[in-house]
Amino acid sequence: METQEPVTAKVNRVRKKVLTACLCAAAAAGAVCFFAFGPVGRYAFAAKYCETSPEAAIQALDGVPDWYLDTKELREYISGIEAYQSGDREAAAEIFGELNGYGNSSWFMGLINYETAVELRENGKYEEALDLFEKCAYGDWKEQLLLTRYQMAESEESAGEYEEAAEIFESLGDYADCAYRKNECLMGMAEKLSGIGSHGEAADIADDVLGSDDTGDFDSAAVKIYLSYAGALEEEGDWAGAGTQLEKCLGLSEDEDSETVEERIEYCESMTVYEAAVELMEEDRYAEAIAEFDKIPGFLDADELNAECEGNAYEWEFDGFLSKDGTEETATKTFSRKDTIYFYGTLSGGKPGKNVTLIFIWTDCMGHTASCTVSDWENGTSGGVTFSYSDPENASTGKGNIAVYIEETGEQVAKYTVTVNK
C-alpha cells in the first residue's frame, strides 16, 4: 500500500519551491520583497547576489543584525561595489582597502588601481600611473608599465627634455621602436647643444648615434652639426680639428656640397702645415720649416718664407779660381788684354738637391760689364765660364772684379779681383 506524504509537509515543500523561484526573479529584477524570509535566507541571498545585484543585496540584509556571521563586513563590501559601479572609484578603493581581502575586495582593488592608472596616464601623470600599475598587478599591468614609460618618454621629448627621454627609451630595450626613438632624442639633444655653441659635445653625440646599430636617417642632421663645429674651430684657428669634422661629412648626405667640403678640408690641411712651418721658422729651425713649406707650394706666402728659410739654413758658397787655361796650374788674378779669363769653381752649401741659376758678372776698371748665366747649377757640382775682350787692342787696363750671384735670390756668393795689364 502506497504511503501518503503528510499534507502539511507537501504544502511546505511547494511553498519552498515557490519562494526559491521568487528569489531568483527578484535577483534578476533588482528588487524583492523579503517579508517572507528570515535572517538566514536574507543573508544567503545577499551573499550570493551582492556582486551582480548589490542594491537587492543591501535590501536583503535589512533586518539582518551585524553580529550574524560576517554581515557587517558584507554590508561594507556591498557598499564598495555600489560605489565602484556608480563611478566613485576613490570611495570604493577606501572601502575595499579597509576590508583586508574580504570577498573579492583585493580583485576590486586591483581593477580600481588599474583603471585609475590608465586615467592618470591619459592626464600625463606618468609617475603616479606607474606606481598604481605596480600596485595593482591586474590584467596586462606589465604591458601597461611599458606603454606608460614609452608615453612618458614621448612627453619628455615633446618638451625638449631629450636627455631624459633618451634614457627612458633606452631603458625599454627592444620594446616597440625604442632603439630608434632613443637615437632620435640624442640627435635632438645634439642639435640643441650645437645651437647654443656646445659644438664638441654635440659632435660627440652625433658620432655615437651614427655609430650605433639602429641609426635611422640622421645623416643630414649630423652633417649640420659637424659643419657648425668645423666653422667654430676654423674661427679659433684649430685647422686640424676643423679638418677632422669636415672629413666626417663626406658621403653622409646628398644635401652636402662635397666639392666645397673637400676644398675646405684642403685649406685646413694647408693651414695646419703652414702654421707649423711658421712656428719652426720662428724657432730658427729652418731646415725643418723648409720641409713643411715644401708640402704647400703656392699657398699664401709659403714660397717666399721658404726661400727666406733656405737663405738662413743654407749658405751658398762658390769656391773658385781664375786662370788662363782653366787649370789650377795657371791660376792667377793678373791677365793681359789678349788673355781669356777662365773662372772655374764649385757651388756648395745650399739645400740638398737644389738647383739654381748662377750669374757671373765681370766689371772692368772703367765700370763696363759683361755677364754670363748658367742655369740649373746643382748644389755640389763644379763648372765655370770664360771672359775675354772682343777688341783687346782698345781694352782698358786696370783693376776690376768678377762676382757670382744666385739669380733666384739675388745673393752674391763669390767675388774675385781681376787685374788687366797691357
Side-chain angles (χ1 to χ4, degrees):
M1 180 177 175
E2 183 178 352
T3 304
Q4 293 293 322
E5 183 178 349
V7 175
T8 301
K10 185 174 183 180
V11 170
N12 289 339
R13 184 162 57 84
V14 171
R15 177 185 290 177
K16 184 177 180 181
K17 289 180 179 179
V18 172
L19 290 175
T20 302
C22 289
L23 285 173
C24 293
V32 65
C33 179
F34 295 102
F35 65 88
F37 300 102
V40 176
R42 289 170 176 270
Y43 173 87
F45 177 89
K48 183 174 183 179
Y49 294 105
C50 62
E51 293 179 1
T52 56
S53 299
E55 184 179 351
I58 284 293
Q59 293 179 21
L61 287 178
D62 188 26
V64 178
D66 284 348
W67 52 261
Y68 181 74
L69 298 179
D70 57 353
T71 299
K72 183 178 180 180
E73 289 82 358
L74 181 57
R75 280 196 176 94
E76 289 296 314
Y77 183 64
I78 296 171
S79 67
I81 294 171
E82 285 186 315
Y84 171 74
Q85 290 184 353
S86 69
D88 191 350
R89 288 197 299 264
E90 185 176 353
E94 184 177 351
I95 294 170
F96 288 131
E98 293 176 352
L99 286 171
N100 296 320
Y102 178 84
N104 287 324
S105 59
S106 296
W107 181 87
F108 273 109
M109 282 295 294
L111 174 61
I112 289 170
N113 285 335
Y114 182 96
E115 292 177 346
T116 303
V118 170
E119 185 176 300
L120 287 168
R121 182 177 65 202
E122 290 173 352
N123 292 327
K125 299 179 179 180
Y126 301 105
E127 292 290 355
E128 296 174 56
L130 289 170
D131 287 341
L132 280 181
F133 279 128
E134 288 279 4
K135 288 179 181 178
C136 76
Y138 176 88
D140 62 344
W141 64 279
K142 291 184 178 179
E143 179 68 20
Q144 294 302 322
L145 281 174
L146 295 174
L147 177 59
T148 303
R149 290 187 63 78
Y150 184 90
Q151 291 185 4
M152 183 180 183
E154 286 186 314
S155 177
E156 294 285 2
E157 182 181 8
S158 297
E161 301 297 336
Y162 298 111
E163 186 172 7
E164 292 80 355
E167 289 177 357
I168 298 173
F169 280 128
E170 184 174 21
S171 71
L172 290 171
D174 58 359
Y175 177 76
D177 60 347
C178 286
Y180 170 81
R181 296 299 296 275
K182 179 196 76 171
N183 281 335
E184 183 179 54
C185 290
L186 288 175
M187 193 58 76
M189 181 167 63
E191 290 177 313
K192 186 176 180 180
L193 288 167
S194 180
I196 61 175
S198 298
H199 300 291
E201 191 175 352
D204 288 342
I205 294 172
D207 290 345
D208 291 340
V209 170
L210 295 187
S212 67
D213 294 333
D214 301 287
T215 59
D217 186 15
F218 301 113
D219 288 359
S220 295
V223 166
K224 291 179 181 178
I225 290 169
Y226 294 147
L227 289 177
S228 294
Y229 191 18
L233 291 171
E234 286 171 335
E235 290 180 4
E236 295 171 5
D238 184 356
W239 304 104
T244 297
Q245 297 305 314
L246 290 167
E247 286 173 356
K248 293 179 184 178
C249 299
L250 295 177
L252 278 185
S253 172
E254 293 181 358
D255 297 333
E256 160 203 334
D257 186 348
S258 297
E259 185 175 346
T260 300
V261 172
E262 288 174 354
E263 290 175 355
R264 286 178 64 182
I265 291 173
E266 185 177 354
Y267 184 85
C268 287
E269 290 174 345
S270 297
M271 280 300 299
T272 301
V273 174
Y274 179 87
E275 291 191 344
V278 169
E279 185 175 348
L280 290 167
M281 183 178 179
E282 291 173 348
E283 295 173 358
D284 296 337
R285 297 161 63 182
Y286 299 112
E288 295 172 73
I290 289 169
E292 295 302 309
F293 282 127
D294 282 348
K295 297 176 184 177
I296 49 172
F299 182 75
L300 301 181
D301 60 346
D303 292 344
E304 290 81 356
L305 294 177
N306 199 0
E308 184 179 340
C309 286
E310 284 189 28
N312 290 316
Y314 303 104
E315 186 175 352
W316 289 102
E317 295 181 356
F318 189 85
D319 186 15
F321 61 91
L322 303 174
S323 72
K324 294 182 178 182
D325 59 7
T327 65
E328 290 192 67
E329 286 77 8
T330 63
T332 182
K333 293 184 180 180
T334 302
F335 298 87
S336 69
R337 289 183 295 185
K338 296 180 180 180
D339 290 333
T340 297
I341 302 173
Y342 289 83
F343 187 15
Y344 278 25
T346 302
L347 180 68
S348 62
K351 178 182 176 182
K354 179 80 172 182
N355 288 7
V356 294
T357 298
L358 293 184
I359 302 175
F360 296 80
I361 301 177
W362 175 25
T363 304
D364 69 9
C365 62
M366 298 300 293
H368 302 131
T369 61
S371 64
C372 182
T373 300
V374 181
S375 301
D376 294 327
W377 199 310
E378 187 175 352
N379 180 29
T381 59
S382 301
V385 296
T386 60
F387 294 98
S388 61
Y389 285 114
S390 58
D391 187 4
E393 295 297 329
N394 296 319
S396 300
T397 59
K399 287 188 176 182
N401 63 74
I402 298 177
V404 184
Y405 296 89
I406 295 177
E407 183 179 56
E408 289 81 357
T409 63
E411 177 187 357
Q412 179 180 294
V413 295
K415 186 176 183 181
Y416 291 80
T417 301
V418 179
T419 300
V420 177
N421 297 322
K422 291 183 179 181

